[in-house]
Amino acid sequence: MWHALATPWGTIAYDWDGARLVRVRLGHVPGAAFAGDDPAAGWLSAYFRGDPLPCLPPLALPATPFQARLRKALLAIPVGTTCAYGALARELGTSPRALGQALRANPLPVVIPCHRVVAARGLGGFAAGLIWKARLLAWERLLARECAAERLVMHRGTD
DNA sequence: CGATTAGTCCTTC
DNA sequence: GAAGGACTAATCG
């Protein structure tokens, strides 16, 4: 069942089957209603408001064994940082292009941070449209900076 | 520098 | 099976 959700950059939609998050679509989905009050809505709205993130909602199982390993690797990339296709491919013992295919097939963008993987020079690609990749990365850079500043204050005081 | 090419292997039809 | 990429390092002008 598709649910709509407002973000600073327009509405997005996610498919919650009652127990797990099945897919996420960046952009408008015709049939989607705004009634969402489930763990996926909680996580996504926290993300887009810049609040501390709760635990991930239950996610649909990965389609292939490789995607299972990929998912784990992606979730290990911290907010505000990025990783190169080549580097991640080596880490997973595969080729950069193959990694790109697997990333393109990710049904859960944002929640599974496939946008944190960028090309050696430039952004690389993004299934939902490059503009979203740029926005998400900029947003996360901002959040990470804010977080770092806060830690600094805790440590040294404001003066 | 920019253009071209070969190597790579996961997804999809 | 076959084809085609969300890539990259190397080679060539």
Side-chain angles (χ1 to χ4, degrees):
Chain A
M1 175 80 191
W2 283 108
H3 299 264
L5 186 119
T7 80
W9 302 285
T11 69
I12 66 170
Y14 63 94
D15 182 2
W16 177 258
D17 74 359
R20 337 191 93 160
L21 181 59
V22 180
R23 30 189 184 155
V24 172
R25 279 261 297 126
L26 269 27
H28 180 65
V29 166
F34 279 89
D37 185 22
D38 47 57
W43 193 93
L44 285 167
S45 39
Y47 176 91
F48 284 108
R49 284 195 344 226
D51 289 347
L53 292 175
C55 291
L56 283 174
L59 305 177
L61 263 39
T64 71
F66 179 78
Q67 288 185 4
R69 292 197 297 133
L70 174 58
R71 176 181 293 193
K72 205 166 95 180
L74 290 174
L75 289 173
I77 307 176
V79 171
T81 69
T82 61
C83 172
Y85 289 100
L88 188 56
R90 273 196 304 280
E91 191 179 315
L92 291 174
T94 185
S95 77
R97 295 186 82 162
L99 174 62
Q101 296 303 332
L103 288 171
R104 189 164 74 80
N106 173 25
L108 298 171
V110 182
V111 178
I112 297 179
C114 55
H115 56 277
R116 297 187 196 139
V117 186
V118 298
R121 298 143 101 79
L123 266 189
F126 198 62
L130 266 180
I131 183 65
W132 275 102
K133 190 170 187 173
R135 285 171 184 157
L136 293 172
L137 289 175
W139 176 235
E140 294 187 356
R141 267 195 304 274
L142 195 70
L143 293 180
R145 211 199 317 257
E146 213 168 78
C147 225
E150 200 160 314
R151 273 197 302 277
L152 209 60
V153 171
M154 296 295 282
H155 247 279
R156 310 197 333 204
T158 47
D159 292 341

